[in-house]
Amino acid sequence: MDRPVVGEGIDRVDARVKVSGRATYPTDADLPGLAHAVLVQSTVAAGRLTAVDTTAATAAPGVLAVLTHENAPPLREARDRLGPLPPPPLQSDRIVHHGENVAVVVAETFEQATEAARLVTARYAPSPPVVDIDDPGAEHVRDPFGSDGGTGDVGAALATAPVRVERTYRTAVNTNHPMGPFATVASWEGDKLTVHDSTQGPSNTRIGLAGTLGVPQDDVRVLAPYIGGGFGSGLRTWPHTVLATVAARHVGRPVKLVLTRKQMFTSVGHRPDTRQTVRIGATRDGRITAIDHEAWQTVSIRDVNPEHVTRASLSGYASPNISARDVQVRVNVPSPGSMRAPGDAQGNFALESALDELAYELDLDPLELRLRNYADRHPVTGQQWSSNDLRACYRTGAERFGWSRRDPRPRSMRRGRHLVGYGMAGTSFFFAQFACAARVTVTRDGGAVVASAGMDLGTGTYTVMTQLAAELLGLPVRRVRMVMGDSSLPEAPVAGGSGLTGSMGSAIHAAARNTVRAFLDLVRDDAGSPLRGAAVDDVRVEHGRIVRVDDGRGESYAEILTRHRQDELTAEGSAEAPSEDEPVVPTGPYAAKFAEVHVDADLGVIRVARLVTAAHCGRVLNEKTARGQLVGGTVGGIGMALLEHTVTEPRTGRIANGTFGDYLIAVNADIPDLEVHFVGGPDPTTPNGTKGCGELGIPGTAAAIANAVFHATGTRVRRLPITIEQVL
Amino acid sequence: MDGSAAQARVSPGQRAPAVVRVPVSLRVNGSERRLEVDTRTTLLDALRDGLKLTGTKKGCDQGQCGACTVHVDGRRVLSCLTLAASADGREVRTIEGLEQDGTPHPLQEAFVRHDGLQCGYCTAGQIMSAVALIEEGRAGSDDEIREFMSGNLCRCGAYPNIVAAIREVAGRGDHA
Ligand code: FES
Ligand code: FES
């Protein structure tokens, strides 16, 4: 009972409902009179629709409605908390990517809707699409995020640097592909709209839908108690969600719309491809004197995508001269979007590969090169870190991995017919905290219900927030119930940017404190209470009781509520994002990653044999779920390094490998045991000491693997994914 | 199915085929269930939409992810590739049928303890595959488990914990 409830790797509180099949995902929502909607998407990537013939579809059995740009209701261009929404669907005859929505068919059954969707015939006046990042005809947007920056004079420093590397790296388009196809079940009751949706932010989707439909936010309720993963796909309010609500209003019945796996390639974002040039100058003894990083990435024709690829180059290493620039290239592809460590995943690969190349130029251990250039403060702004134990990550990771056994010469290590390579990389992720609110209700039976609109997409938020609330209220974990995933609860930010734990944790911290304060208010003049007259700083909570710090006297929540004839007591709390303009900058998590790869000397087959991560995530609320986050991210990173590549046909803009059979993600047999070690202490920025850790599994993984592949084979691969042809 | 290819085959004005419905009786998790289905309805959709057993999940509808794995006559089957009508008269077991008298199957317990899940969407399929794997005697080593579980994708990347859960139950031998 006195064991700490935070930190310990308790089982997920939602694990039982998930292993029994009882958790309800958006695709499971079933309502009386439910109709089914199926999308028809364009088969050209650019041009205009000249006609959409819906005659046969409309006449097909069971069909209730077919909506196209000719009969769809007008929709507004709207914003949510993350910025502008993707352009609203079915509003014009213009086509800007393959797989753009051209019609939605609603029918009595899923089979009938699917069949009728095939009978819709769209005719186009196509124009040649631009799909290649290198296409000279494409429009370029320089400094699209207003984030270009740096310090010193990179050009001069590079010109005089005794050692220089200049290399270009490329990363492929990757697609998020949560296992749960995105789904929306929409129903109207009068003016009130209820939506079950695969969203990572019920509050945010409510704002987006209300804005697009032109209805008050209070009339919209978005539910997402469980979703089948997201990895960034669920951050935005996508057109298919809007179309489900429009279709439901049109047919006057609840409507379910589930994307097909193929439509998951074109409808809910992807990680854009990049071409990046990194130039680094250094002294002979391995001090970096200049870092210059320019990253080009693709974006769709009509949408925005804040994806800061060069971010970590501005803050990663102690260089007196730094310049980092991002450029977006507009092409006829579906809207990109965040995917697991957006921007950092690609940028880190280029920077950490270039550092490895520099280490070979210098004949210096890659680990030592990083330690020599550790940034003890922000290299551009000069601000101090709120906390940064990256050096401890390097040390612990190297030790657990056995880095000292590495023979630095490429192709020097072998095991049977396999070439063995060791590679490493460092990584950081930005600090994210957003405004969030939470509500605590303590009931007369001595338990508590804690509510916030934020959701758990598999990261463990239900569990860690239960633990945190239990600690802050002095209750056992089993007496706390978290209620989440419902926009009618206190507003919360999206689960993204590794920011929800810090955001919601801070809100619950405030709400718990307000709860204790409310109890103290209740007994302020209560002669029967040992807590009479106590202020919130005079007490602590333990074993379901509030007790005075000075003499240990106190009483339980239940006793107070019983005596005051109240069934429950409720308090809310909220927290804002911290300021960035202080001398101390809120600092996100760090990690060092060490990979061993085995490359078949004859066949070129590459296998990750093991991968060790040492991470500084601030205070870890639950060892088990935090480890799961890092392991899961690493699995995604292995996919990014060796497998994942969304291929777009250059002439047609069609995605050529739009199935799980052709778009390869890591399967069980691709994944070795993955070690994760947590190092370093809590971060002072948030009251709970967390930094966030979800995104940290991805960046660094591909670079560590690519660096290990070079060590194994002597072949430097500067293009992801690394394929057999590239190493043979 | 590829929408553009489908469109190419259907000329404008062509009529959709009339709906044909057939009666199907299945023994699902030990009880007799009768329903009438569209001949195009998959076993997966019949279970989920017809019988409201939504624990079995649809990840791809193309036989490429394993999320829809159930047992038909004791063998692992991808229910999205099985027509409901073709399962007539057969014994079907789904995730909802694994508990016995309110006690979870040892693998369900092991998945909880080893954190063999995150979002939980692939989990029913993973567990149904794993139960069959152990019953078939194919969970003898980690490599064997990894290999035979590779038809069940997990985008959350819970693979190492899934292997640990299966290893524990297979090693204990109380999985019958
Ligand atoms: S849904 Fe059946 S294998 Fe993916
Ligand atoms: S737990 Fe999310 S896909 Fe496996």
Side-chain angles (χ1 to χ4, degrees):
Chain A
M1 174 73 221
D2 279 320
R3 283 184 316 176
V5 290
V6 166
E8 198 191 346
I10 65 164
D11 296 341
R12 254 167 230 273
V13 298
D14 52 343
R16 279 174 197 285
V17 79
K18 285 177 174 173
V19 299
S20 66
R22 286 194 301 267
T24 51
Y25 297 81
T27 40
D28 302 334
D30 186 26
L31 299 169
L34 188 66
H36 297 261
V38 169
L39 297 174
V40 179
Q41 299 192 323
S42 70
T43 53
V44 303
R48 300 212 169 259
L49 278 166
T50 53
V52 185
D53 184 349
T54 62
T55 326
T58 309
V63 171
L64 301 169
V66 183
L67 292 175
T68 69
H69 70 288
E70 281 167 348
N71 62 346
L75 297 165
R76 304 178 187 203
E77 305 218 340
R79 300 177 67 87
D80 59 22
R81 294 254 187 260
L82 301 177
L85 263 53
L90 306 185
Q91 297 300 295
S92 85
D93 60 356
R94 189 170 172 212
I95 299 294
V96 295
H97 69 85
H98 204 285
E100 185 160 350
N101 298 314
V102 297
V104 57
V105 178
V106 192
E108 294 286 347
T109 70
F110 169 67
E111 289 80 7
Q112 290 170 334
T114 304
E115 182 72 40
R118 288 177 193 158
L119 301 175
V120 173
T121 311
R123 294 182 194 291
Y124 308 91
S127 35
V130 174
V131 301
D132 193 336
I133 191 169
D134 298 327
D135 193 314
E139 180 193 339
H140 300 158
V141 189
R142 292 198 175 262
D143 194 11
F145 326 120
S147 55
D148 286 6
T151 186
D153 183 344
V154 159
L158 280 170
T160 56
V163 184
R164 265 192 307 263
V165 294
E166 172 172 352
R167 300 282 189 260
T168 296
Y169 303 88
R170 288 175 183 268
T171 64
V173 173
N174 294 169
T175 307
N176 305 51
H177 283 307
M179 286 307 299
F182 270 32
T184 306
V185 177
S187 64
W188 292 84
E189 258 178 74
D191 292 335
K192 303 275 185 197
L193 170 65
T194 303
V195 176
H196 301 258
D197 189 47
S198 310
T199 173
Q200 290 173 230
S203 304
N204 197 50
T205 299
R206 174 166 94 151
I207 295 167
L209 281 177
T212 304
L213 299 170
V215 303
Q217 284 180 25
D218 282 346
D219 285 353
V220 181
R221 182 177 182 194
V222 178
L223 297 162
Y226 300 101
I227 73 169
F231 317 113
S233 281
L235 295 175
R236 306 184 75 193
T237 310
W238 294 109
H240 73 274
T241 299
V242 174
L243 284 177
T245 69
V246 167
R249 191 156 59 179
H250 188 83
V251 301
R253 286 168 56 175
V255 163
K256 176 191 280 197
L257 191 159
V258 186
L259 296 180
T260 63
R261 184 50 63 184
K262 182 184 158 113
Q263 290 166 350
M264 290 292 287
F265 281 88
T266 53
S267 311
V268 291
H270 61 264
R271 176 185 285 146
D273 51 338
T274 67
R275 184 189 73 235
Q276 307 176 54
T277 301
V278 178
R279 299 187 295 164
I280 308 181
T283 60
R284 290 248 164 252
D285 64 350
R287 309 265 160 209
I288 295 174
T289 55
I291 297 176
D292 183 70
H293 187 174
E294 182 165 282
W296 292 58
Q297 60 175 300
T298 55
V299 68
S300 56
I301 299 287
R302 291 180 62 200
D303 203 358
V304 297
N305 181 41
E307 178 120 3
H308 192 185
V309 174
T310 62
R311 185 200 64 82
S313 295
L314 287 166
S315 59
Y317 293 96
S319 171
N321 303 288
I322 299 175
S323 173
R325 301 169 306 281
D326 281 69
V327 184
Q328 283 185 317
V329 182
R330 292 211 178 272
V331 293
N332 292 100
V333 300
S335 289
S338 297
M339 173 174 173
R340 295 201 116 165
D344 282 280
Q346 304 99 309
N348 177 282
F349 167 67
L351 178 65
E352 293 291 321
S353 294
L355 281 167
D356 203 64
E357 302 206 42
L358 177 65
Y360 280 97
E361 291 288 326
L362 292 165
D363 203 10
L364 184 66
D365 185 298
L367 174 62
E368 181 55 30
L369 174 66
R370 286 164 175 86
L371 286 169
R372 278 189 199 172
N373 293 284
Y374 168 78
D376 64 359
R377 57 189 57 233
H378 195 294
V380 172
T381 66
Q383 289 164 298
Q384 286 180 333
W385 307 120
S386 59
S387 64
N388 177 347
D389 283 319
L390 177 57
R391 280 178 297 191
C393 296
Y394 287 135
R395 269 196 303 276
T396 303
E399 218 173 273
R400 301 299 177 119
F401 182 82
W403 183 255
S404 59
R405 292 197 302 270
R406 175 179 184 266
D407 179 335
R409 293 165 305 149
R411 290 187 84 94
S412 61
M413 294 168 67
R414 267 196 175 249
R415 216 171 108 178
R417 60 167 221 249
H418 288 108
L419 302 166
V420 173
Y422 285 7
M424 58 86 55
T427 187
S428 64
F429 195 71
F430 59 82
F431 179 92
Q433 187 190 344
F434 314 99
C436 185
R439 182 169 62 224
V440 170
T441 302
V442 175
T443 49
R444 205 171 180 167
D445 63 2
V449 179
V450 181
S452 179
M455 60 82 56
D456 181 338
L457 66 157
T459 51
T461 308
Y462 275 117
T463 308
V464 297
M465 290 302 135
T466 303
Q467 288 174 276
L468 197 56
E471 176 181 84
L472 295 167
L473 293 165
L475 293 171
V477 165
R478 67 190 152 75
R479 300 311 312 273
V480 175
R481 190 162 63 89
M482 260 327 280
V483 183
M484 292 171 33
D486 178 349
S487 68
S488 69
L489 302 172
E491 181 171 345
V494 294
S498 293
L500 188 58
T501 298
S503 309
M504 202 190 284
S506 300
I508 291 176
H509 190 276
R513 204 171 149 83
N514 290 340
T515 304
V516 173
R517 193 176 280 127
F519 271 95
L520 294 176
D521 279 348
L522 199 58
V523 300
R524 180 183 305 145
D525 305 313
D526 180 348
S529 174
L531 296 168
R532 176 181 166 200
V536 71
D537 289 323
D538 302 334
V539 299
R540 63 170 187 267
V541 289
E542 59 189 29
H543 310 307
R545 294 158 56 83
I546 306 175
V547 298
R548 285 178 178 276
V549 177
D550 52 5
D551 60 8
R553 290 189 310 132
E555 60 179 331
S556 68
Y557 298 118
E559 283 168 320
I560 298 175
L561 288 174
T562 306
R563 199 166 61 248
H564 288 263
R565 293 190 168 67
Q566 266 183 240
D567 287 335
E568 58 184 42
L569 194 63
T570 292
E572 299 212 357
S574 60
E576 298 295 321
S579 160
E580 301 268 338
D581 295 331
E582 308 289 327
V584 175
V585 61
T587 310
Y590 291 91
K593 310 197 175 182
F594 296 82
E596 175 177 338
V597 301
H598 294 175
V599 183
D600 188 307
D602 304 319
L603 304 176
V605 177
I606 306 163
R607 209 187 132 68
V608 178
R610 62 198 179 98
L611 203 146
V612 175
T613 300
H616 178 210
C617 297
R619 186 176 180 218
V620 172
L621 300 181
N622 181 317
E623 273 261 353
K624 203 182 258 192
T625 56
R627 184 178 306 277
Q629 283 299 285
L630 282 161
V631 165
T634 307
V635 171
I638 292 173
M640 179 187 180
L642 301 177
L643 300 167
E644 297 190 36
H645 186 182
T646 306
V647 180
T648 300
E649 284 176 355
R651 273 187 320 108
T652 63
R654 188 184 79 105
I655 290 172
N657 58 344
T659 70
F660 270 149
D662 300 305
Y663 179 85
L664 303 182
I665 68 170
V667 302
N668 206 320
D670 294 319
I671 302 304
D673 275 332
L674 300 170
E675 261 181 61
V676 175
H677 304 280
F678 293 107
V679 302
D683 186 276
T685 310
T686 64
N688 301 311
T690 60
K691 274 175 174 282
C693 70
E695 319 263 0
L696 202 57
I698 287 263
T701 301
I705 292 169
N707 294 342
V709 166
F710 175 75
H711 180 232
T713 64
T715 303
R716 176 66 63 178
V717 182
R718 303 190 183 92
R719 179 192 289 261
L720 296 184
I722 303 167
T723 54
I724 292 173
E725 312 87 83
Q726 289 176 291
V727 298
L728 273 182
Chain B
M1 164 152 323
D2 184 315
S4 56
Q7 279 176 30
R9 272 190 272 108
V10 182
S11 56
Q14 181 172 338
R15 297 286 298 277
V19 176
V20 181
R21 297 184 73 83
V22 291
V24 172
S25 80
L26 306 167
R27 209 174 153 72
V28 183
N29 299 329
S31 37
E32 209 59 50
R33 306 293 295 264
R34 281 168 200 288
L35 68 169
E36 218 187 60
V37 297
D38 191 316
T39 44
R40 296 164 294 190
T41 303
T42 61
L43 176 60
L44 173 60
D45 289 332
L47 290 168
R48 289 179 48 82
D49 299 338
L51 302 178
K52 312 293 178 201
L53 292 170
T54 54
T56 306
K57 295 294 186 254
K58 183 188 287 187
C60 68
D61 220 7
Q62 291 176 312
Q64 295 174 332
C65 77
C68 65
T69 306
V70 299
H71 298 173
V72 173
D73 292 342
R75 302 178 53 159
R76 280 182 282 171
V77 154
L78 295 174
S79 61
C80 73
L81 290 188
T82 309
L83 286 173
S86 74
D88 188 33
R90 305 198 183 235
E91 179 97 34
V92 179
R93 184 146 78 141
T94 71
I95 189 77
E96 290 92 346
L98 276 193
E99 281 187 12
Q100 283 191 341
D101 308 321
T103 308
H105 188 281
L107 260 170
Q108 290 174 302
E109 295 281 14
F111 266 64
V112 172
R113 254 194 326 279
H114 290 279
D115 209 28
L117 63 137
Q118 291 183 23
C119 76
Y121 199 86
C122 72
T123 308
Q126 302 280 0
I127 292 177
M128 296 311 288
S129 278
V131 167
L133 200 70
I134 294 174
E135 283 168 3
E136 292 160 16
R138 290 181 174 175
S141 69
D142 283 7
D143 280 347
E144 213 176 20
I145 295 170
R146 287 193 179 108
E147 194 59 39
F148 286 109
M149 288 300 291
S150 281
N152 287 85
L153 303 182
C154 176
R155 191 54 159 162
C156 294
Y159 297 129
N161 291 352
I162 291 169
V163 173
I166 299 172
R167 174 200 304 139
E168 181 193 300
V169 176
R172 264 202 334 244
D174 65 346
H175 43 78

